[in-house]
Amino acid sequence: MTLEYFTPVTGLVGGALIGLSAAALLLLNGDILGASGLMSSFVVTPKSTLTDPSNQWKLFFVVSFFIVSRVFLWILPSALDDVRTGIDPDIPIVSPLGFILGGFLVGFGTRLGNGCTSGHGICGLARLSIRSMVGVVSFMITGILFASVVPASNPHIRNTPDAMETYAPTTTTSVIVTVIVAIVGISALVGLTRKNPSSDSTEGQLDELTNNRQKILPSIGGAILFAIGLFVSQMTVYSKIFGFLDVRLIAKGSWDPTLVIVMCGGFIVSFVSYQWVNGHNIITNSYALQCPLSQKDTVGKFSVPTNKIIDGKLVFGEAIFGLGWGMAGLCPGPAMVLASAGYPNVLLRWWPMFFIGSFLAEKAKSLLSHYATSRSTKNDINDLSKGTLQGRDGHSKDENDLENGGSCSVNM
């Protein structure tokens, strides 16, 4: 194996920058870098995401990410150049249908399983979460299986090299991106101009408002690091993803393990950051933080997931995500970069279907939760009924014993 396309240095540096982004959000704001959760919130809880002061940092993160991506491409137009796709027959060219189905599967799977390559892969693994380890294994297995089994010549979800001319960004898609970013940006700025609480507000309410606003600058910094990290690591290049997921390329000598190095770089930096968070540090540290650095300790807290349940939703959801990843070669972070660049298939096909998938997954989770609650209530009622019947049987027996006892008493 020649590892001709392996780029460990840029992979490690890019991964470290992604890890720094996660560390900045964690240590300064107490938040988790989860691209899928952040983006899906725009359709799952749109009103809260756009207007709730506690979510204001998300708006600034998204706007900053898109602006930085556009500026990066303006400075370095070749940043998204792909030396293999369209030339190497082993690297698939995703068809419009592939983008549609892939976006839906990624949206549905990440929402059902609560995470993607950044949430579970970078942040979850860094805190040694068994749940995230299971999630990562699930989406890695299905992603590798799909990319390795489905040939690049598949007529339905793959395309031919001559179709790549229609994949380039257009003026229309650039305008659409600009309008979307402007809408989100206006919502973010409107939040900044929101009036302070009334004079009779409690100190806690005032501190909470201050904390929400102090999250803005770290979120902008985190977005800058995240975007640059994706560019440097080349995780926005299709051949880097398919070159890793298709393990048949190992035998051909053209396999590219750069993605592993990227995740290792992100993991190392993110792991170090968790050693400064009290309750989530593996290494004993007397200086571990009780409260994020940008927050007032009266109401500030770390929003680190504590769910340890490994269930069907996690495994099945992440497996679905892996299928979508292996089909279209995209997860939410890189898809944000390509959408900001105006790539039509990503902006107009992958992302709309991602949002639809996320929305339906949230509905599915609600139905499953309702079903589980109803079943639990039914079981409780059955148990209560059995207990009542047993009590009645016991009561009757006591009455009979009492009657017999009177007779026995006489005999005695």
Side-chain angles (χ1 to χ4, degrees):
M1 185 166 61
T2 62
L3 297 178
E4 176 184 356
Y5 303 103
F6 184 37
T7 53
V9 176
T10 56
L12 186 62
V13 173
L17 288 172
I18 295 171
L20 275 175
S21 173
L25 290 179
L26 176 69
L27 297 178
L28 296 174
N29 288 359
D31 293 311
I32 299 298
L33 175 64
S36 62
L38 189 154
M39 294 303 291
S40 64
S41 67
F42 284 95
V43 292
V44 174
T45 55
K47 183 178 180 180
S48 172
T49 301
L50 292 171
T51 62
D52 193 324
S54 65
N55 288 323
Q56 199 172 34
W57 71 270
K58 295 181 180 180
L59 305 182
F60 280 94
F61 184 96
V62 171
V63 171
S64 301
F65 184 96
F66 273 69
I67 292 175
V68 170
S69 297
R70 295 289 286 269
V71 170
F72 196 98
L73 287 170
W74 177 68
I75 296 173
L76 191 63
S78 62
L80 296 178
D81 287 356
D82 193 337
V83 298
R84 298 183 70 182
T85 303
I87 300 174
D88 186 341
D90 291 321
I91 300 300
I93 300 170
V94 183
S95 71
L97 178 61
F99 281 108
I100 290 171
L101 295 177
F104 178 83
L105 292 173
V106 171
F108 190 93
T110 54
R111 192 69 196 182
L112 189 64
N114 289 330
C116 58
T117 50
S118 56
H120 280 314
I122 300 297
C123 300
L125 294 183
R127 62 177 184 272
L128 304 185
S129 166
I130 302 298
R131 175 179 164 83
S132 287
M133 292 178 190
V134 172
V136 170
V137 170
S138 298
F139 69 67
M140 280 292 183
I141 288 176
T142 53
I144 289 172
L145 282 175
F146 191 95
S148 300
V149 171
V150 178
S153 59
N154 183 282
H156 303 295
I157 59 174
R158 303 303 186 213
N159 221 331
T160 54
D162 57 350
M164 289 190 65
E165 295 181 2
T166 63
Y167 285 25
T170 65
T171 302
T172 301
T173 55
S174 295
V175 170
I176 292 173
V177 172
T178 302
V179 171
I180 293 173
V181 173
I183 292 172
V184 178
I186 290 171
S187 298
L189 293 175
V190 167
L192 279 181
T193 61
R194 190 177 289 111
K195 293 182 179 179
N196 291 333
S198 58
S199 56
D200 59 347
S201 299
T202 64
E203 184 178 351
Q205 289 174 320
L206 293 173
D207 287 347
E208 188 172 354
L209 175 65
T210 300
N211 281 354
N212 291 333
R213 290 184 173 176
Q214 289 183 169
K215 282 187 173 186
I216 293 174
L217 285 179
S219 70
I220 293 174
I224 293 172
L225 290 168
F226 189 37
I228 295 177
L230 288 170
F231 275 114
V232 172
S233 65
Q234 294 184 289
M235 290 297 98
T236 54
V237 176
Y238 289 107
S239 63
K240 283 292 182 182
I241 307 304
F242 288 123
F244 167 77
L245 293 178
D246 189 351
V247 294
R248 293 174 302 179
L249 300 180
I250 296 175
K252 297 181 179 183
S254 57
W255 185 59
D256 185 356
T258 301
L259 188 145
V260 177
I261 302 300
V262 174
M263 293 195 70
C264 286
F267 165 82
I268 292 170
V269 176
S270 187
F271 175 81
V272 172
S273 70
Y274 274 101
Q275 307 317 304
W276 296 89
V277 179
N278 188 56
H280 296 280
N281 52 319
I282 306 300
I283 302 172
T284 303
N285 181 3
S286 59
Y287 297 99
L289 301 172
Q290 300 285 349
C291 176
L293 293 171
S294 75
Q295 306 290 282
K296 290 193 172 185
D297 56 11
T298 51
V299 292
K301 63 179 181 179
F302 287 99
S303 301
V304 178
T306 56
N307 185 6
K308 296 182 179 180
I309 298 175
I310 298 173
D311 55 10
K313 288 187 292 185
L314 170 69
V315 177
F316 186 61
E318 295 306 321
I320 291 175
F321 160 46
L323 290 175
W325 190 34
M327 182 181 296
L330 289 172
C331 57
M336 289 171 67
V337 171
L338 296 176
S340 70
Y343 281 83
N345 280 316
V346 181
L347 181 66
L348 304 179
R349 292 185 175 91
W350 194 93
W351 272 113
M353 294 308 296
F354 171 89
F355 288 129
I356 291 173
S358 297
F359 181 81
L360 293 179
E362 189 65 22
K363 293 298 181 183
K365 287 169 69 174
S366 298
L367 289 174
L368 289 172
S369 178
H370 177 72
Y371 172 75
T373 302
S374 299
R375 187 175 179 180
S376 176
T377 302
K378 185 178 179 180
N379 290 336
D380 290 343
I381 292 173
N382 290 336
D383 291 342
L384 182 62
S385 299
K386 290 178 181 179
T388 302
L389 289 174
Q390 289 174 355
R392 286 177 179 173
D393 291 343
H395 183 60
S396 299
K397 184 178 180 180
D398 289 341
E399 288 178 342
N400 292 333
D401 288 345
L402 181 59
E403 289 176 358
N404 292 334
S407 174
C408 292
S409 167
V410 172
N411 292 335
M412 289 175 66

PDB file of all heavy atoms in Angstrom, residues 229-252:
ATOM      1  N   GLY A 229     -10.499  24.523  10.393  1.00  0.00           N
ATOM      2  CA  GLY A 229     -10.085  23.142  10.632  1.00  0.00           C
ATOM      3  C   GLY A 229     -10.606  22.193   9.564  1.00  0.00           C
ATOM      4  O   GLY A 229      -9.889  21.279   9.122  1.00  0.00           O
ATOM      5  N   LEU A 230     -11.847  22.399   9.120  1.00  0.00           N
ATOM      6  CA  LEU A 230     -12.413  21.546   8.072  1.00  0.00           C
ATOM      7  C   LEU A 230     -11.693  21.761   6.744  1.00  0.00           C
ATOM      8  O   LEU A 230     -11.441  20.808   5.998  1.00  0.00           O
ATOM      9  CB  LEU A 230     -13.912  21.837   7.922  1.00  0.00           C
ATOM     10  CG  LEU A 230     -14.793  21.333   9.069  1.00  0.00           C
ATOM     11  CD1 LEU A 230     -16.208  21.883   8.940  1.00  0.00           C
ATOM     12  CD2 LEU A 230     -14.824  19.807   9.112  1.00  0.00           C
ATOM     13  N   PHE A 231     -11.353  23.015   6.446  1.00  0.00           N
ATOM     14  CA  PHE A 231     -10.615  23.297   5.208  1.00  0.00           C
ATOM     15  C   PHE A 231      -9.219  22.671   5.251  1.00  0.00           C
ATOM     16  O   PHE A 231      -8.801  21.994   4.308  1.00  0.00           O
ATOM     17  CB  PHE A 231     -10.483  24.812   5.006  1.00  0.00           C
ATOM     18  CG  PHE A 231     -11.671  25.445   4.331  1.00  0.00           C
ATOM     19  CD1 PHE A 231     -12.472  26.345   5.016  1.00  0.00           C
ATOM     20  CD2 PHE A 231     -11.966  25.160   3.011  1.00  0.00           C
ATOM     21  CE1 PHE A 231     -13.559  26.944   4.397  1.00  0.00           C
ATOM     22  CE2 PHE A 231     -13.053  25.757   2.380  1.00  0.00           C
ATOM     23  CZ  PHE A 231     -13.850  26.650   3.071  1.00  0.00           C
ATOM     24  N   VAL A 232      -8.506  22.924   6.341  1.00  0.00           N
ATOM     25  CA  VAL A 232      -7.117  22.443   6.442  1.00  0.00           C
ATOM     26  C   VAL A 232      -7.060  20.920   6.408  1.00  0.00           C
ATOM     27  O   VAL A 232      -6.200  20.326   5.745  1.00  0.00           O
ATOM     28  CB  VAL A 232      -6.451  22.975   7.732  1.00  0.00           C
ATOM     29  CG1 VAL A 232      -5.083  22.328   7.940  1.00  0.00           C
ATOM     30  CG2 VAL A 232      -6.315  24.494   7.678  1.00  0.00           C
ATOM     31  N   SER A 233      -7.973  20.277   7.095  1.00  0.00           N
ATOM     32  CA  SER A 233      -7.989  18.810   7.147  1.00  0.00           C
ATOM     33  C   SER A 233      -8.470  18.189   5.852  1.00  0.00           C
ATOM     34  O   SER A 233      -8.321  16.983   5.637  1.00  0.00           O
ATOM     35  CB  SER A 233      -8.879  18.339   8.297  1.00  0.00           C
ATOM     36  OG  SER A 233     -10.233  18.709   8.059  1.00  0.00           O
ATOM     37  N   GLN A 234      -9.105  18.998   4.997  1.00  0.00           N
ATOM     38  CA  GLN A 234      -9.667  18.550   3.717  1.00  0.00           C
ATOM     39  C   GLN A 234     -10.843  17.587   3.886  1.00  0.00           C
ATOM     40  O   GLN A 234     -11.145  16.797   2.994  1.00  0.00           O
ATOM     41  CB  GLN A 234      -8.592  17.901   2.837  1.00  0.00           C
ATOM     42  CG  GLN A 234      -7.506  18.862   2.385  1.00  0.00           C
ATOM     43  CD  GLN A 234      -6.518  18.204   1.441  1.00  0.00           C
ATOM     44  OE1 GLN A 234      -5.713  17.371   1.849  1.00  0.00           O
ATOM     45  NE2 GLN A 234      -6.585  18.567   0.168  1.00  0.00           N
ATOM     46  N   MET A 235     -11.535  17.696   5.009  1.00  0.00           N
ATOM     47  CA  MET A 235     -12.715  16.874   5.201  1.00  0.00           C
ATOM     48  C   MET A 235     -13.893  17.358   4.364  1.00  0.00           C
ATOM     49  O   MET A 235     -14.961  16.751   4.363  1.00  0.00           O
ATOM     50  CB  MET A 235     -13.110  16.851   6.685  1.00  0.00           C
ATOM     51  CG  MET A 235     -12.145  16.087   7.570  1.00  0.00           C
ATOM     52  SD  MET A 235     -12.021  14.315   7.177  1.00  0.00           S
ATOM     53  CE  MET A 235     -10.539  14.258   6.158  1.00  0.00           C
ATOM     54  N   THR A 236     -13.685  18.446   3.640  1.00  0.00           N
ATOM     55  CA  THR A 236     -14.691  18.978   2.719  1.00  0.00           C
ATOM     56  C   THR A 236     -14.503  18.416   1.311  1.00  0.00           C
ATOM     57  O   THR A 236     -15.263  18.753   0.401  1.00  0.00           O
ATOM     58  CB  THR A 236     -14.577  20.512   2.656  1.00  0.00           C
ATOM     59  OG1 THR A 236     -13.222  20.854   2.337  1.00  0.00           O
ATOM     60  CG2 THR A 236     -14.927  21.129   3.998  1.00  0.00           C
ATOM     61  N   VAL A 237     -13.493  17.580   1.124  1.00  0.00           N
ATOM     62  CA  VAL A 237     -13.183  16.997  -0.185  1.00  0.00           C
ATOM     63  C   VAL A 237     -13.716  15.568  -0.235  1.00  0.00           C
ATOM     64  O   VAL A 237     -13.383  14.739   0.616  1.00  0.00           O
ATOM     65  CB  VAL A 237     -11.661  17.017  -0.437  1.00  0.00           C
ATOM     66  CG1 VAL A 237     -11.327  16.331  -1.753  1.00  0.00           C
ATOM     67  CG2 VAL A 237     -11.137  18.451  -0.438  1.00  0.00           C
ATOM     68  N   TYR A 238     -14.560  15.271  -1.219  1.00  0.00           N
ATOM     69  CA  TYR A 238     -15.233  13.976  -1.286  1.00  0.00           C
ATOM     70  C   TYR A 238     -14.255  12.800  -1.287  1.00  0.00           C
ATOM     71  O   TYR A 238     -14.492  11.786  -0.628  1.00  0.00           O
ATOM     72  CB  TYR A 238     -16.103  13.901  -2.548  1.00  0.00           C
ATOM     73  CG  TYR A 238     -17.327  14.773  -2.496  1.00  0.00           C
ATOM     74  CD1 TYR A 238     -17.405  15.930  -3.252  1.00  0.00           C
ATOM     75  CD2 TYR A 238     -18.401  14.442  -1.684  1.00  0.00           C
ATOM     76  CE1 TYR A 238     -18.525  16.744  -3.216  1.00  0.00           C
ATOM     77  CE2 TYR A 238     -19.536  15.246  -1.628  1.00  0.00           C
ATOM     78  CZ  TYR A 238     -19.593  16.398  -2.397  1.00  0.00           C
ATOM     79  OH  TYR A 238     -20.696  17.194  -2.334  1.00  0.00           O
ATOM     80  N   SER A 239     -13.175  12.917  -2.045  1.00  0.00           N
ATOM     81  CA  SER A 239     -12.254  11.781  -2.151  1.00  0.00           C
ATOM     82  C   SER A 239     -11.575  11.458  -0.833  1.00  0.00           C
ATOM     83  O   SER A 239     -11.136  10.318  -0.618  1.00  0.00           O
ATOM     84  CB  SER A 239     -11.200  12.057  -3.231  1.00  0.00           C
ATOM     85  OG  SER A 239     -10.397  13.166  -2.892  1.00  0.00           O
ATOM     86  N   LYS A 240     -11.493  12.428   0.068  1.00  0.00           N
ATOM     87  CA  LYS A 240     -10.924  12.161   1.396  1.00  0.00           C
ATOM     88  C   LYS A 240     -11.855  11.271   2.216  1.00  0.00           C
ATOM     89  O   LYS A 240     -11.402  10.460   3.030  1.00  0.00           O
ATOM     90  CB  LYS A 240     -10.661  13.484   2.133  1.00  0.00           C
ATOM     91  CG  LYS A 240      -9.424  14.224   1.668  1.00  0.00           C
ATOM     92  CD  LYS A 240      -8.177  13.459   2.052  1.00  0.00           C
ATOM     93  CE  LYS A 240      -6.919  14.177   1.647  1.00  0.00           C
ATOM     94  NZ  LYS A 240      -5.700  13.394   1.973  1.00  0.00           N
ATOM     95  N   ILE A 241     -13.157  11.450   2.004  1.00  0.00           N
ATOM     96  CA  ILE A 241     -14.139  10.651   2.748  1.00  0.00           C
ATOM     97  C   ILE A 241     -14.294   9.279   2.122  1.00  0.00           C
ATOM     98  O   ILE A 241     -14.151   8.247   2.780  1.00  0.00           O
ATOM     99  CB  ILE A 241     -15.504  11.376   2.798  1.00  0.00           C
ATOM    100  CG1 ILE A 241     -15.335  12.806   3.341  1.00  0.00           C
ATOM    101  CG2 ILE A 241     -16.495  10.578   3.637  1.00  0.00           C
ATOM    102  CD1 ILE A 241     -14.690  12.885   4.692  1.00  0.00           C
ATOM    103  N   PHE A 242     -14.586   9.262   0.806  1.00  0.00           N
ATOM    104  CA  PHE A 242     -14.753   7.971   0.129  1.00  0.00           C
ATOM    105  C   PHE A 242     -13.443   7.192   0.078  1.00  0.00           C
ATOM    106  O   PHE A 242     -13.446   5.960   0.090  1.00  0.00           O
ATOM    107  CB  PHE A 242     -15.290   8.193  -1.282  1.00  0.00           C
ATOM    108  CG  PHE A 242     -16.727   8.621  -1.315  1.00  0.00           C
ATOM    109  CD1 PHE A 242     -17.112   9.796  -1.938  1.00  0.00           C
ATOM    110  CD2 PHE A 242     -17.713   7.846  -0.718  1.00  0.00           C
ATOM    111  CE1 PHE A 242     -18.436  10.197  -1.971  1.00  0.00           C
ATOM    112  CE2 PHE A 242     -19.046   8.225  -0.744  1.00  0.00           C
ATOM    113  CZ  PHE A 242     -19.405   9.410  -1.373  1.00  0.00           C
ATOM    114  N   GLY A 243     -12.330   7.920   0.032  1.00  0.00           N
ATOM    115  CA  GLY A 243     -11.033   7.249   0.020  1.00  0.00           C
ATOM    116  C   GLY A 243     -10.743   6.518   1.309  1.00  0.00           C
ATOM    117  O   GLY A 243      -9.952   5.567   1.336  1.00  0.00           O
ATOM    118  N   PHE A 244     -11.393   6.924   2.388  1.00  0.00           N
ATOM    119  CA  PHE A 244     -11.265   6.219   3.668  1.00  0.00           C
ATOM    120  C   PHE A 244     -12.332   5.144   3.834  1.00  0.00           C
ATOM    121  O   PHE A 244     -12.044   4.019   4.249  1.00  0.00           O
ATOM    122  CB  PHE A 244     -11.363   7.211   4.832  1.00  0.00           C
ATOM    123  CG  PHE A 244     -11.563   6.544   6.160  1.00  0.00           C
ATOM    124  CD1 PHE A 244     -10.504   5.933   6.815  1.00  0.00           C
ATOM    125  CD2 PHE A 244     -12.822   6.492   6.759  1.00  0.00           C
ATOM    126  CE1 PHE A 244     -10.685   5.282   8.032  1.00  0.00           C
ATOM    127  CE2 PHE A 244     -13.016   5.864   7.976  1.00  0.00           C
ATOM    128  CZ  PHE A 244     -11.942   5.251   8.616  1.00  0.00           C
ATOM    129  N   LEU A 245     -13.586   5.492   3.510  1.00  0.00           N
ATOM    130  CA  LEU A 245     -14.695   4.574   3.765  1.00  0.00           C
ATOM    131  C   LEU A 245     -14.638   3.320   2.904  1.00  0.00           C
ATOM    132  O   LEU A 245     -15.066   2.246   3.331  1.00  0.00           O
ATOM    133  CB  LEU A 245     -16.035   5.293   3.542  1.00  0.00           C
ATOM    134  CG  LEU A 245     -16.392   6.416   4.530  1.00  0.00           C
ATOM    135  CD1 LEU A 245     -17.711   7.062   4.146  1.00  0.00           C
ATOM    136  CD2 LEU A 245     -16.462   5.881   5.959  1.00  0.00           C
ATOM    137  N   ASP A 246     -14.128   3.431   1.686  1.00  0.00           N
ATOM    138  CA  ASP A 246     -14.057   2.267   0.797  1.00  0.00           C
ATOM    139  C   ASP A 246     -12.787   1.462   1.094  1.00  0.00           C
ATOM    140  O   ASP A 246     -11.699   1.759   0.585  1.00  0.00           O
ATOM    141  CB  ASP A 246     -14.060   2.731  -0.661  1.00  0.00           C
ATOM    142  CG  ASP A 246     -14.202   1.563  -1.638  1.00  0.00           C
ATOM    143  OD1 ASP A 246     -14.120   0.397  -1.191  1.00  0.00           O
ATOM    144  OD2 ASP A 246     -14.389   1.830  -2.845  1.00  0.00           O
ATOM    145  N   VAL A 247     -12.934   0.443   1.909  1.00  0.00           N
ATOM    146  CA  VAL A 247     -11.753  -0.338   2.328  1.00  0.00           C
ATOM    147  C   VAL A 247     -11.226  -1.252   1.227  1.00  0.00           C
ATOM    148  O   VAL A 247     -10.146  -1.846   1.371  1.00  0.00           O
ATOM    149  CB  VAL A 247     -12.075  -1.173   3.595  1.00  0.00           C
ATOM    150  CG1 VAL A 247     -12.330  -0.272   4.780  1.00  0.00           C
ATOM    151  CG2 VAL A 247     -13.266  -2.103   3.356  1.00  0.00           C
ATOM    152  N   ARG A 248     -11.951  -1.354   0.117  1.00  0.00           N
ATOM    153  CA  ARG A 248     -11.431  -2.130  -1.016  1.00  0.00           C
ATOM    154  C   ARG A 248     -10.165  -1.469  -1.581  1.00  0.00           C
ATOM    155  O   ARG A 248      -9.355  -2.123  -2.238  1.00  0.00           O
ATOM    156  CB  ARG A 248     -12.487  -2.229  -2.119  1.00  0.00           C
ATOM    157  CG  ARG A 248     -13.722  -3.045  -1.761  1.00  0.00           C
ATOM    158  CD  ARG A 248     -14.760  -2.948  -2.851  1.00  0.00           C
ATOM    159  NE  ARG A 248     -15.161  -1.556  -3.095  1.00  0.00           N
ATOM    160  CZ  ARG A 248     -16.051  -1.189  -4.023  1.00  0.00           C
ATOM    161  NH1 ARG A 248     -16.611  -2.108  -4.786  1.00  0.00           N
ATOM    162  NH2 ARG A 248     -16.373   0.085  -4.182  1.00  0.00           N
ATOM    163  N   LEU A 249     -10.025  -0.174  -1.305  1.00  0.00           N
ATOM    164  CA  LEU A 249      -8.875   0.560  -1.829  1.00  0.00           C
ATOM    165  C   LEU A 249      -7.571   0.175  -1.130  1.00  0.00           C
ATOM    166  O   LEU A 249      -6.492   0.501  -1.617  1.00  0.00           O
ATOM    167  CB  LEU A 249      -9.114   2.071  -1.679  1.00  0.00           C
ATOM    168  CG  LEU A 249     -10.346   2.627  -2.406  1.00  0.00           C
ATOM    169  CD1 LEU A 249     -10.462   4.127  -2.167  1.00  0.00           C
ATOM    170  CD2 LEU A 249     -10.271   2.325  -3.899  1.00  0.00           C
ATOM    171  N   ILE A 250      -7.679  -0.507   0.016  1.00  0.00           N
ATOM    172  CA  ILE A 250      -6.464  -0.949   0.715  1.00  0.00           C
ATOM    173  C   ILE A 250      -5.666  -1.892  -0.174  1.00  0.00           C
ATOM    174  O   ILE A 250      -4.453  -1.757  -0.328  1.00  0.00           O
ATOM    175  CB  ILE A 250      -6.825  -1.638   2.048  1.00  0.00           C
ATOM    176  CG1 ILE A 250      -7.499  -0.638   3.000  1.00  0.00           C
ATOM    177  CG2 ILE A 250      -5.575  -2.236   2.697  1.00  0.00           C
ATOM    178  CD1 ILE A 250      -7.990  -1.254   4.301  1.00  0.00           C
ATOM    179  N   ALA A 251      -6.375  -2.837  -0.787  1.00  0.00           N
ATOM    180  CA  ALA A 251      -5.714  -3.813  -1.649  1.00  0.00           C
ATOM    181  C   ALA A 251      -5.159  -3.159  -2.913  1.00  0.00           C
ATOM    182  O   ALA A 251      -4.175  -3.640  -3.490  1.00  0.00           O
ATOM    183  CB  ALA A 251      -6.694  -4.919  -2.023  1.00  0.00           C
ATOM    184  N   LYS A 252      -5.782  -2.058  -3.322  1.00  0.00           N
ATOM    185  CA  LYS A 252      -5.345  -1.370  -4.539  1.00  0.00           C
ATOM    186  C   LYS A 252      -4.226  -0.371  -4.272  1.00  0.00           C
ATOM    187  O   LYS A 252      -3.686   0.221  -5.199  1.00  0.00           O
ATOM    188  CB  LYS A 252      -6.528  -0.658  -5.194  1.00  0.00           C
ATOM    189  CG  LYS A 252      -7.628  -1.600  -5.667  1.00  0.00           C
ATOM    190  CD  LYS A 252      -8.759  -0.838  -6.330  1.00  0.00           C
ATOM    191  CE  LYS A 252      -9.840  -1.798  -6.831  1.00  0.00           C
ATOM    192  NZ  LYS A 252     -10.927  -1.097  -7.537  1.00  0.00           N
TER     193      LYS A 252
END
